[in-house]
Amino acid sequence: MTTDIPAKPGRSRIPELSSIPWEGPSAITRYAQVGRNLARDLGEEFALGSDELYAVLVRSFKGHPVLSVFGAPDVRRRARRVVKRLKRAAELQRGAGVELVKFHAQFRKEFVEVLPQAKPEKRHTQFNWKDDA
């Protein structure tokens, strides 16, 4: 069985996110936005893919010699169980998008709103606090 996915040793990072350097508040805003967009896109793909897969499974296995012993309703039931997992993955991706919005809001609450009191210019850091998002 061949696949279009190239084999990579270990886990690879998502380039859209890993290329954003942690250099200031605008970088965190950008990271949250890009991550939310990726999660939304992935969730939508999973949702659309689940509908397509259900139709393909029912059409492909209807009348299958082994499954026909159990009848056509069994094929639809089996297909529903399979695509249920893909639909759940879609819901979880939507949840990931929501969490990225909350991540950004929490950062602003915990760090950006207390910036004047924290006097970051007296600390040695690579994080550019003057870069306000």
Side-chain angles (χ1 to χ4, degrees):
M1 184 168 150
T2 61
T3 180
D4 293 336
I5 300 171
K8 293 181 182 179
R11 294 184 176 164
S12 62
R13 295 186 65 189
I14 298 170
E16 294 92 342
L17 292 173
S18 63
S19 66
I20 299 173
W22 299 110
E23 294 177 342
S26 65
I28 291 177
T29 299
R30 180 85 178 120
Y31 192 88
Q33 289 172 338
V34 171
R36 184 191 68 210
N37 291 338
L38 286 170
R40 282 182 177 173
D41 291 347
L42 194 53
E44 188 62 27
E45 176 57 38
F46 288 161
L48 291 172
S50 69
D51 294 336
E52 292 172 2
L53 179 60
Y54 178 79
V56 168
L57 290 174
V58 170
R59 185 175 54 246
S60 298
F61 289 100
K62 190 174 183 179
H64 188 276
V66 174
L67 297 178
S68 65
V69 172
F70 301 110
D74 190 56
V75 172
R76 287 191 291 273
R77 190 177 313 121
R78 289 170 185 263
R80 274 195 303 272
R81 281 190 293 226
V82 170
V83 300
K84 177 177 129 180
R85 298 299 177 180
L86 200 50
K87 287 183 181 195
R88 180 177 240 182
E91 290 172 16
L92 291 171
Q93 288 304 311
R94 287 186 206 110
V98 170
E99 284 302 315
L100 284 162
V101 171
K102 291 179 180 180
F103 151 73
H104 181 256
Q106 193 71 37
F107 166 75
R108 300 214 35 103
K109 177 183 175 185
E110 302 292 341
F111 290 97
V112 174
E113 292 175 6
V114 297
L115 178 61
Q117 296 84 5
K119 299 188 185 332
E121 62 276 354
K122 293 184 180 182
R123 290 187 306 246
H124 299 290
T125 180
Q126 294 179 347
F127 203 78
N128 182 9
W129 285 103
K130 293 179 173 56
D131 177 23
D132 191 19

